[in-house]
Amino acid sequence: MRRFLLLYATQCGQAKAIAEEISEKAGAHGFFVDLHCLSESDKYDLKTETDPLVVIVSTTGDGDPPDTAVKFVKKIRDKTLPPDFFSHLRYGLLGLGNSEYTYFCNGGKIIDKRLQELGAQHFYKTGHADDCVGLELVVEPWIAGLWTALNKQFVSSEGKANMTSDISTTSDVSLQTDRVKPEVLPIDSEIACLKLFDSGGKVSEASTPNITNVRSGTLTENFEPSLTQSIPPLSQSALNIPVLPAEYLDVQFQEPLSQEQCQVSFTPVDTVFQVPISKAIQLTKKNAIKTTLLLELDISNTTFSYQPGDSFNIICPNDASEVQELLQRLQLSEKREHRILLKIKENNKKKAMPQHIPEGVSLHFLLTWCLEIRAIPKKAFLRALVEYTNDSAEKRRLQELCSKQGASDYNHFIRDSFISLLDLLHAFPTCRPPLSLLLEHLPKLRARPYSCASSCLFHPGKLHFAFNIVEFLSSVEPVTLRKGICTGWLALMVDSILQENGNISQGKDVEAGLPEISIFPHTTNSFRLPNDPSVPIIMIGPGTGIAPFIGFLQHREKIQEQHPDGNFGAMWLFFGCRHKDRDYLFREDLHHFLKNGILTQLKVSFSRDIPVNGEDHPPKYVQDNIRLYSQEVTRILLQEKGYIYVCGDAKGMAKDVNDALVEILSKEAGVEKLEAMKMLATLREEKRYLQDIWS
């Protein structure tokens, strides 16, 4: 078989899953894959690689390559490398990103650009998949076209006349037979199985295209599609569905562990710190739309260190009630404390054991700490669930949702609705998958990142962080109120020590019975104050986006105390919230910093407060305030070579702020919009425009 090297760099597992999908399909197309993570530099050597290279790269943070690519990027950025260093390489690259972020697919773009600068050439076009609209919209056609591109590359590289002649007479045939055709389902009997859930009736094959309401006998022309049912033309279409993924895990249950043995220590990384929560303060009033908490961690007995602006990760479990519900739905409640023993099926040589599943843990521990049970099911998982669904109408709908024709329904009813496995099992009651299928398709339960909201100079031995308690309604009956996996768990943990005075410095110390959590540092942190304190900075952080800036201000206050004659640059803060009297976070702290001259300018906007009669309409959002001070902002960034920091929501705020910056730079510098965008790009390259944003 013809070999190609397949490398991936992943942060949350998506790039790895796509690389594994390519690896699985390669054999049927006549290729052998050498698959490695980009960080496994001892297992491949691009300097001597002669076969085609395929790279799958995700993006993390502020447009950065994932952690597993950091060393690789540093290596290829070596300025001493000659421009023909990779001239022998022929490659194709697929970048993953989210267009809600300013620097879309930047992880892949960084590597792609540098490979070309070092002489490598594309044998296949670069793909940029957008998680905002659905990765599969680009991923699926990109993979489908990869096989043809690889065939052409091997024909080109072999360069032998007789080989070329052979290929020319058989290429049309070979390319068609190489491809694994997706399963096509005829519509014949399938449409007859579609249930009318409001009436319990069925549609006959000969019935009108409009859905007939059996109860009333009238046509329901405005019949609405849902997660569980479709309408024409999808309900009457032949379907192209994915190939059924090969099952590769055997699961065995062993006797329950003793109480002592149950205390298994499992951590996903090497450097994990178990720390107590020493204080918990509610920053918002009871009538605020969102509840914001500020937690203090005692890190005095650890070697954990941080700087203002850094992020760290919290290891959190799945919701206990959802784990119990899943056990009941799988009919495995009685085996919750049984140990799980996994083996690779004998006839499967490609798949490796999932690395996020530890050995010898109980089923309950596995579902609680290891698997992301709220993960949005991918199409391959839906395809696999079809085989364990008894009702023909439910089967048909699952097939539609994973089909090419049902892409729009998948995006609307699965991805955009944040449907989880439990939601699917509620919606499709005859679907009863085995545990092994869940272990094959559910991703690793990720640790959740949070921004440090303190300075260790101001609070020695302590670490503060703030968060909103995320709350939302489930999308499937029975509708239930759910909380964020980590924020809901943290809120529950601190309920007994929670104080409502809104100020951490006035909060009482709790001595006994402190809850503990596990944390570990973020591997890369660039959201930091300038090394030169005389450089002016602009901070933009509505809502909990203000958290790292509290650390900045605390740090600056202590530095100024230590160096009273020092030269310190201006510090501007643009903050925003809904209501002045409900969710003005860190209000007393900010006024303290302003009074003491640490904070030069504080500009606050309240988006939901109604102006008093006769008052001018104040700025509603942070970007409105930025526009009001366009001259000052432009002067700080361009003339004074200042820094600008943005923290908060990527989907709305960060984009709106970026647009406002383009607008004011264009206006104040007297340049076209495109030139203003280039100015911002330069600021970013100089690490003077930094973002800590999330979606």
Side-chain angles (χ1 to χ4, degrees):
M1 283 191 177
R2 297 163 294 176
R3 170 192 174 276
F4 67 91
L5 176 62
L6 176 55
L7 302 178
Y8 66 87
T10 191
Q11 189 71 24
C12 301
Q14 297 209 91
K16 180 181 179 183
I18 292 168
E20 288 177 341
E21 179 185 348
I22 293 172
S23 180
E24 288 175 16
K25 293 179 176 180
H29 293 275
F31 298 106
F32 166 73
V33 176
D34 197 1
L35 174 65
H36 301 292
C37 178
L38 209 55
S39 62
E40 299 173 316
S41 55
D42 58 323
K43 297 181 179 179
Y44 65 91
D45 186 359
L46 296 188
K47 289 186 293 185
T48 59
E49 184 60 58
T50 57
D51 290 329
L53 168 67
V54 177
V55 188
I56 316 295
V57 187
S58 64
T59 299
T60 188
D62 186 19
D64 299 316
D67 294 343
T68 51
V70 170
K71 289 184 179 179
F72 176 82
V73 170
K74 184 177 180 181
K75 191 174 180 180
I76 64 174
R77 276 181 164 170
D78 184 348
K79 294 182 179 179
T80 65
L81 296 177
D84 61 349
F85 188 73
F86 285 143
S87 60
H88 57 285
L89 274 184
R90 300 295 179 267
Y91 76 100
L93 185 142
L94 175 64
L96 312 182
N98 188 319
S99 60
E100 289 179 350
Y101 291 81
T102 306
Y103 301 101
F104 171 60
C105 277
N106 204 52
K109 290 175 181 177
I110 288 171
I111 293 175
D112 196 12
K113 180 182 178 183
R114 187 56 179 152
L115 288 177
Q116 291 185 72
E117 289 174 349
L118 294 174
Q121 296 180 32
H122 289 125
F123 78 84
Y124 186 39
K125 62 184 179 183
T126 296
H128 295 134
D130 186 359
D131 202 23
C132 180
V133 297
L135 293 174
E136 69 280 356
L137 296 181
V138 169
V139 171
E140 290 177 3
W142 193 88
I143 293 176
L146 175 63
W147 315 118
T148 301
L150 281 166
N151 271 303
K152 290 180 178 178
Q153 174 58 27
F154 276 105
V155 170
S156 172
S157 62
E158 285 161 1
K160 295 181 180 178
N162 61 337
M163 193 64 177
T164 304
S165 177
D166 290 343
I167 293 291
S168 65
T169 58
T170 61
S171 59
D172 291 342
V173 177
S174 65
L175 290 184
Q176 291 173 8
T177 56
D178 275 350
R179 294 188 183 182
V180 178
K181 292 185 178 179
E183 188 175 340
V184 180
L185 295 177
I187 193 60
D188 300 349
S189 59
E190 298 294 348
I191 196 170
C193 299
L194 275 176
K195 284 185 176 179
L196 284 176
F197 287 85
D198 61 340
S199 66
K202 307 233 178 187
V203 182
S204 73
E205 291 180 67
S207 67
T208 174
N210 292 317
I211 304 300
T212 303
N213 187 313
V214 176
R215 190 186 307 169
S216 64
T218 60
L219 293 180
T220 310
E221 294 182 357
N222 295 322
F223 191 74
E224 290 292 327
S226 68
L227 174 64
T228 55
Q229 53 194 342
S230 61
I231 61 173
L234 178 59
S235 61
Q236 299 176 347
S237 298
L239 303 175
N240 295 82
I241 65 173
V243 175
L244 181 66
E247 295 184 18
Y248 66 94
L249 284 180
D250 272 326
V251 178
Q252 296 179 6
F253 292 96
Q254 296 187 329
E255 285 304 307
L257 299 164
S258 66
Q259 192 63 33
E260 293 77 18
Q261 290 173 314
C262 279
Q263 308 304 316
V264 178
S265 175
F266 169 64
T267 54
V269 292
D270 295 331
T271 313
V272 174
F273 301 91
Q274 190 84 5
V275 295
I277 302 173
S278 49
K279 284 183 185 177
I281 306 293
Q282 183 168 324
L283 297 178
T284 48
K285 302 296 184 183
K286 287 185 176 180
N287 59 350
I289 294 174
K290 293 182 179 180
T291 301
T292 306
L293 303 186
L294 177 67
L295 270 53
E296 178 181 85
L297 304 180
D298 185 348
I299 59 172
S300 59
N301 294 322
T302 73
T303 58
F304 186 95
S305 63
Y306 70 96
Q307 292 187 38
D310 284 358
S311 297
F312 68 101
N313 298 285
I314 297 177
I315 300 172
C316 58
N318 286 307
D319 180 80
S321 63
E322 291 178 33
V323 171
Q324 182 57 35
E325 188 178 354
L326 187 56
L327 284 168
Q328 292 173 350
R329 187 66 176 76
L330 297 173
Q331 298 181 338
L332 291 173
S333 295
E334 294 180 359
K335 294 185 181 293
R336 55 180 284 142
E337 297 305 335
H338 281 62
R339 284 185 297 162
I340 298 297
L341 181 64
L342 297 183
K343 291 183 179 179
I344 301 293
K345 289 181 180 288
E346 292 183 4
N347 61 348
N348 193 305
K349 298 179 181 179
K350 294 181 182 178
K351 284 282 189 178
M353 198 73 73
Q355 295 180 355
H356 57 280
I357 300 179
E359 294 182 9
V361 298
S362 70
L363 172 59
H364 183 259
F365 183 94
L366 189 65
L367 295 179
T368 301
W369 292 97
C370 305
L371 301 176
E372 191 90 49
I373 64 174
R374 277 198 197 165
I376 298 171
K378 296 188 180 300
K379 290 184 178 181
F381 195 8
L382 297 181
R383 176 64 186 90
L385 290 174
V386 170
E387 305 305 306
Y388 294 96
T389 304
N390 292 327
D391 182 84
S392 55
E394 291 180 17
K395 271 182 178 282
R396 166 71 189 189
R397 184 55 177 155
L398 286 171
Q399 290 166 341
E400 289 173 349
L401 289 168
C402 70
S403 71
K404 181 179 179 181
Q405 291 77 9
S408 177
D409 275 24
Y410 174 85
N411 288 338
H412 183 67
F413 296 114
I414 301 286
R415 189 178 60 82
D416 296 344
S417 299
F418 299 99
I419 291 297
S420 68
L421 172 64
L422 261 179
D423 293 329
L424 280 180
L425 297 180
H426 278 303
F428 300 92
T430 71
C431 180
R432 299 192 176 276
L435 177 63
S436 58
L437 204 68
L438 274 61
L439 303 187
E440 290 174 0
H441 289 275
L442 288 177
K444 170 185 175 181
L445 179 58
R446 294 179 297 106
R448 269 45 178 181
Y450 291 89
S451 300
C452 300
S454 55
S455 164
C456 53
L457 294 182
F458 203 92
H459 294 286
K462 308 294 184 183
L463 167 61
H464 297 172
F465 68 101
F467 60 90
N468 293 325
I469 302 175
V470 177
E471 294 182 322
F472 60 97
L473 295 174
S474 62
S475 302
V476 174
E477 296 286 348
V479 176
T480 57
L481 178 66
R482 289 179 180 165
K483 294 187 177 181
I485 288 178
C486 192
T487 63
W489 173 66
L490 289 171
L492 188 64
M493 287 192 71
V494 303
D495 185 60
S496 61
I497 64 169
L498 184 63
Q499 302 171 56
E500 297 182 354
N501 60 13
N503 191 309
I504 197 95
S505 61
Q506 298 172 7
K508 299 176 182 178
D509 290 321
V510 182
E511 299 296 334
L514 295 176
E516 291 190 344
I517 63 174
S518 296
I519 65 172
F520 61 94
H522 204 275
T523 52
T524 55
N525 287 295
S526 58
F527 198 81
R528 290 178 172 174
L529 284 164
N531 293 327
D532 181 358
S534 68
V535 173
I537 68 170
I538 297 168
M539 301 169 284
I540 303 168
T544 54
I546 194 177
F549 304 134
I550 297 299
F552 282 9
L553 292 164
Q554 290 177 357
H555 196 77
R556 175 62 69 84
E557 179 169 333
K558 288 300 178 183
I559 294 296
Q560 288 192 203
E561 287 177 4
Q562 295 170 7
H563 305 278
D565 298 325
N567 180 20
F568 297 97
M571 299 185 82
W572 282 61
L573 174 62
F574 292 91
F575 173 69
C577 59
R578 289 179 174 84
H579 300 282
K580 182 177 182 179
D581 296 325
R582 300 185 196 179
D583 53 5
Y584 190 161
L585 309 182
F586 300 101
R587 185 174 182 174
E588 292 180 17
D589 302 80
L590 294 177
H591 288 165
H592 162 80
F593 293 127
L594 194 61
K595 181 181 178 181
N596 289 2
I598 308 301
L599 189 55
T600 311
Q601 294 285 345
L602 173 62
K603 305 301 176 185
V604 186
S605 49
F606 306 104
S607 62
R608 304 287 177 87
D609 281 346
I610 301 173
V612 180
N613 289 339
E615 283 187 354
D616 292 334
H617 284 276
K620 194 173 184 180
Y621 301 109
V622 287
Q623 59 268 25
D624 300 327
N625 247 333
I626 293 169
R627 289 186 177 95
L628 287 180
Y629 295 90
S630 61
Q631 291 182 358
E632 292 86 346
V633 169
T634 302
R635 185 191 72 245
I636 290 172
L637 294 180
L638 300 187
Q639 277 78 53
E640 300 177 12
K641 304 298 180 184
Y643 283 53
I644 185 166
Y645 299 84
V646 180
C647 183
D649 168 49
K651 189 173 184 178
M653 183 276 301
K655 274 196 166 184
D656 291 340
V657 166
N658 192 78
D659 291 345
L661 290 173
V662 169
E663 181 183 317
I664 67 173
L665 288 178
S666 174
K667 171 189 168 187
E668 300 298 336
V671 297
E672 295 293 329
K673 182 179 177 181
L674 181 60
E675 187 60 33
M677 293 171 70
K678 289 179 180 178
M679 287 179 174
L680 277 184
T682 300
L683 288 176
R684 187 182 182 282
E685 288 176 3
E686 295 173 351
K687 299 296 183 183
R688 293 199 291 123
Y689 178 16
L690 298 166
Q691 294 177 310
D692 179 5
I693 55 179
W694 56 84
S695 59

